[in-house]
Amino acid sequence: MEHSSLRDACTSPNALFSTPQDDLLRMIYQEFTHDIDRLKRAYSIRDEQPLSQTSKSPSYILYQADYDEVNRTLVGFLSLRWIHLGQYENFVGSQPHDAQLKRESFKWIQEFYNEVITDADALYALITSIIINDLGKDPQLASDYYKTTGTDIAHLNHDAILLKACQARLIHSLEKLPPRYKDDLIRGMELGATFNFGQMAQAENVPACLSGLDLMKERPHCFQMRLMEQLLDIAGAAGHMDYTCAKKLIQPIFDSYRNVYDACQSIIVGTSNTRAGYDIILDRRSETLHAVGFRLVDIGNMEDRALMRLLCMGNAVTHDKASLFQNAWDSLNTDTRRVLVSTLNLDGQSGEPAVQPTYMPAFLSRLKDERSLTHALCYLARVMTLSEPVDPSVVVIERSLLGVMKKYVERGEFDKDPTILERIDVPDGVVAVTI
């Protein structure tokens, strides 16, 4: 298939996605060379060892070397290819059989994709969104912003860094889009700077983070585009470990994203406030766990609601995993449990700011024994506690556990001695949401 550019190729999507995979990846690289090169420097977290695979990874095809975030991003793009072509078997690949994405769920994604992507410009915009989504993880982007504006944004989360960079016109691929789609992507990033689908699916954020949904009330297509990009992001999330399929978009995670979509829609159309919309996520996880034999968790009760947030953060979808969290919860001393009940029930408002413990789900979901989990929950109680006065305009403080994950968890020090968390300071807080 010969085309002068990817934009031209998007006018014939069937032919585009039928292009041999290696050629297709090279076409994407030719279009987004600078952006994909940035991803070589981006940070990532590994929660398992890469699978032994006989084929070359996407980044190896382009660079003759493996780069985690390049692989994650390009597997997200390849997932779009599998969706367009209806290649269900390729999509589910090596997903665990007991959690594998169902065919009817794959069909729902296809139908949603066809509803959102109605022309060549929309397809090109979605591909652009996939490629640039994680550029904020490149430390050089914050440095470039500082050189351009004189403002230091390195302390912000990667979504906020990307938004700032786009507003400063540092992401040149965004400038190629028609004004409508450029505006849609910018609005989606503005939403993403305070609201992340995955964080809501895991109950990692708080209701105040959903206030940005007001931006979507007049732009339903913008919200749909953002959801489609987020589904592809999770589809590629394990691309650095297994680049042969959409490893992470399994049925339980798809269900959680569908729940987020429903919750957000209820807020956008005005049938729910942010608290009620948020609680849809907790209610449905309670129903899911009850269906596999776990006790019915009443989120109207503050202690149960706090526990349910932990169950969501820990990706507990089985009876055994939920029971592990319940046992660890029951083993906490009274003071620690009281702190967690109080802080995990804060919505985020003036005078009562909430803490968002970024990367805590990545930490909690990997724990498999009660002792380790108990120590992690004790550390979380410290992370969630704000001891210094906060400006009344600040309603959400973000504390990132990324450094703790990379320094103590990935290197195995926590596994050897979970008490190490007692000797580690909590991360500095960063203002995430203001009013």
Side-chain angles (χ1 to χ4, degrees):
M1 176 183 178
E2 294 294 334
H3 281 286
S4 59
S5 70
L6 177 66
R7 184 190 291 275
D8 292 337
C10 286
T11 62
S12 304
N14 290 336
L16 169 66
F17 288 118
S18 296
T19 303
Q21 179 171 301
D22 289 12
D23 294 339
L24 184 58
L25 291 171
R26 292 188 182 101
M27 181 188 296
I28 292 293
Y29 182 69
Q30 182 177 4
E31 187 76 14
F32 299 102
T33 304
H34 185 65
D35 297 322
I36 296 174
D37 284 349
R38 276 194 181 278
L39 292 170
K40 292 164 63 177
R41 293 187 294 263
Y43 60 81
S44 67
I45 286 183
R46 295 191 170 198
D47 55 6
E48 56 186 279
Q49 290 301 309
L51 295 181
S52 176
Q53 295 165 97
T54 56
S55 59
K56 296 176 181 177
S57 73
S59 70
Y60 197 90
I61 290 167
L62 301 180
Y63 299 107
Q64 290 72 58
D66 282 316
Y67 296 99
D68 283 0
E69 285 301 314
V70 174
N71 284 329
R72 285 164 59 105
T73 294
L74 293 179
V75 171
F77 169 72
L78 292 176
S79 297
L80 177 62
R81 180 187 192 227
W82 300 324
I83 290 166
H84 182 90
L85 297 176
Q87 294 178 337
Y88 171 75
E89 297 296 341
N90 286 45
F91 193 90
V92 299
S94 63
Q95 289 182 358
H97 181 72
D98 60 350
Q100 190 177 80
L101 186 77
K102 297 175 183 176
R103 284 186 180 273
E104 54 264 37
S105 298
F106 182 75
K107 183 178 179 182
W108 186 95
I109 296 172
Q110 282 187 291
E111 291 172 350
F112 187 75
Y113 161 73
N114 289 327
E115 180 183 342
V116 176
I117 306 304
T118 55
D119 56 35
D121 284 341
L123 177 56
Y124 185 78
L126 177 60
I127 294 172
T128 301
S129 183
I130 295 168
I131 299 301
I132 70 174
N133 179 59
D134 281 331
L135 293 186
K137 294 180 179 180
D138 169 23
Q140 185 62 45
L141 187 59
S143 297
D144 291 345
Y145 185 89
Y146 180 76
K147 291 175 185 176
T148 302
T149 68
T151 301
D152 183 6
I153 60 170
H155 60 285
L156 300 179
N157 67 55
H158 70 269
D159 289 317
I161 289 173
L162 176 61
L163 173 61
K164 293 282 189 182
C166 287
Q167 291 171 336
R169 307 186 74 169
L170 293 177
I171 308 299
H172 302 302
S173 54
L174 194 66
E175 304 302 316
K176 301 178 185 178
L177 296 175
R180 172 197 167 187
Y181 287 104
K182 177 184 174 182
D183 187 53
D184 273 355
L185 262 60
I186 290 287
R187 283 176 178 253
M189 291 175 200
E190 288 173 347
L191 175 65
T194 58
F195 169 73
N196 178 289
F197 283 84
Q199 289 172 348
M200 185 173 176
Q202 299 170 133
E204 175 185 346
N205 62 12
V206 296
C209 296
L210 279 60
S211 58
L213 290 170
D214 287 340
L215 293 168
M216 303 290 108
K217 289 185 177 180
E218 304 301 322
R219 302 293 289 269
H221 182 266
C222 174
F223 180 70
Q224 291 175 323
M225 181 76 82
R226 184 69 181 177
L227 174 64
M228 191 69 226
E229 185 275 319
Q230 290 288 291
L231 285 171
L232 293 167
D233 181 61
I234 197 68
H240 57 317
M241 317 302 291
D242 181 352
Y243 45 81
T244 64
C245 67
K247 182 82 170 185
K248 288 288 188 181
L249 192 46
I250 56 177
Q251 188 62 40
I253 291 179
F254 171 75
D255 289 339
S256 68
Y257 272 67
R258 277 291 308 274
N259 292 340
V260 170
Y261 178 68
D262 291 344
C264 291
Q265 286 292 91
S266 74
I267 295 169
I268 290 171
V269 302
T271 57
S272 298
N273 60 24
T274 54
R275 171 79 171 209
Y278 186 95
D279 282 358
I280 289 173
I281 304 301
L282 305 182
D283 266 326
R284 292 190 180 178
R285 179 60 63 92
S286 177
E287 292 167 1
T288 297
L289 289 174
H290 191 55
V292 296
F294 191 65
R295 72 175 181 86
L296 187 61
V297 181
D298 176 15
I299 67 164
N301 173 280
M302 287 184 64
E303 182 161 332
D304 267 10
R305 189 176 185 277
L307 175 62
M308 183 49 64
R309 279 196 66 190
L310 295 174
L311 290 167
C312 289
M313 278 196 249
N315 193 30
V317 293
T318 66
H319 182 277
D320 287 348
K321 190 70 175 283
S323 296
L324 172 65
F325 272 76
Q326 180 73 71
N327 292 338
W329 178 260
D330 292 341
S331 72
L332 296 174
N333 65 53
T334 302
D335 288 342
T336 299
R337 192 183 307 115
R338 183 169 55 247
V339 168
L340 287 172
V341 170
S342 174
T343 56
L344 289 170
N345 275 283
L346 292 176
D347 290 356
Q349 58 186 353
S350 180
E352 284 190 322
V355 172
Q356 177 173 303
T358 309
Y359 288 100
M360 198 67 192
F363 188 5
L364 293 180
S365 62
R366 72 188 299 279
L367 302 181
K368 297 178 173 62
D369 67 85
E370 185 180 324
R371 178 171 178 259
S372 296
L373 182 54
T374 301
H375 282 287
L377 294 182
C378 290
Y379 183 65
L380 177 60
R382 292 169 54 206
V383 170
M384 299 294 289
T385 301
L386 294 173
S387 55
E388 299 296 327
V390 176
D391 188 284
S393 67
V394 176
V395 295
V396 181
I397 296 287
E398 179 179 353
R399 281 180 167 164
S400 174
L401 278 295
L402 178 63
V404 174
M405 287 286 293
K406 297 190 77 66
K407 187 174 182 180
Y408 299 103
V409 180
E410 281 192 345
R411 296 177 183 177
E413 292 187 39
F414 171 78
D415 291 335
K416 294 176 185 175
D417 179 17
T419 67
I420 197 171
L421 293 181
E422 298 172 8
R423 303 183 291 279
I424 298 173
D425 291 335
V426 300
D428 291 336
V430 176
V431 174
V433 182
T434 60
I435 56 173

